[in-house]
Amino acid sequence: MTVSIPLLSTRRPASRAAATPRPRRILAVASGGGHWVQLMRLRPAFAQAEVHYATVDRSAAEIVAPAPVHLYPDANKDTPLRLALAALTLAVIVLRVRPDVVVSTGAAGGYLAIRFARLLGARTLFIDSIANARELSVSARLSQKVADLVLSQWPAVARATGAAYRGAVL
């Protein structure tokens, strides 16, 4: 199944397009494991963009080379100190990259990057993990308050939560 991501359109607002004739800059954020696998399934959608990746796994750089990879500490709601460090690291990453678009497949780091990127005016997309077949993750629920679009990969979850459904990445 193909996932259509309207935020990745190459069309830019007229005022920004004239001022910056560069490809759209995407910050793609995912923690490790299945979140990263799902993000990698979206790579063809990023073909015309300048893509920066942010993740928790140093070995990810080999997979996406030569694209830049930014590392942040793996954290979740049960590790508050690491979560604070991840938030600080992701704030710096977002400030340095200055993305036009942030796409995340989760988890907490994706939400944090979206939160910071919205402050800079970036468009944002959070795709909840396919593992969340019964309800949205905490990160997806939080992202619903700030992201331009939150997708569930399950139609029933999307209907029940107000998330959108555009298919599944796996």
Side-chain angles (χ1 to χ4, degrees), residues 9-10 18 26 34 36 41 57 65-66 68 78 93-96 102-103 118 123 130 133 143-144 159 163 167 170:
S9 164
T10 57
I26 296 173
W36 180 256
R41 296 291 302 261
D57 183 1
D78 298 324
I93 292 168
V94 169
L95 284 170
R96 286 186 177 159
V102 173
V103 177
R118 289 293 293 158
R123 302 201 57 200
I130 197 160
S143 292
Q144 284 185 303
R159 279 192 303 273
L170 296 179

Side-chain angles (χ1 to χ4, degrees), residues 52-65:
H52 291 246
Y53 292 91
T55 188
V56 299
D57 183 1
R58 183 172 305 280
S59 68
E62 298 171 17
I63 297 168
V64 298

Side-chain angles (χ1 to χ4, degrees), residues 31 56 72-84 86 107-109 112:
S31 57
V56 299
Y72 63 90
D74 195 9
N76 60 48
K77 63 181 172 45
D78 298 324
T79 57
L81 290 177
R82 288 187 64 82
L83 192 60
L112 293 168

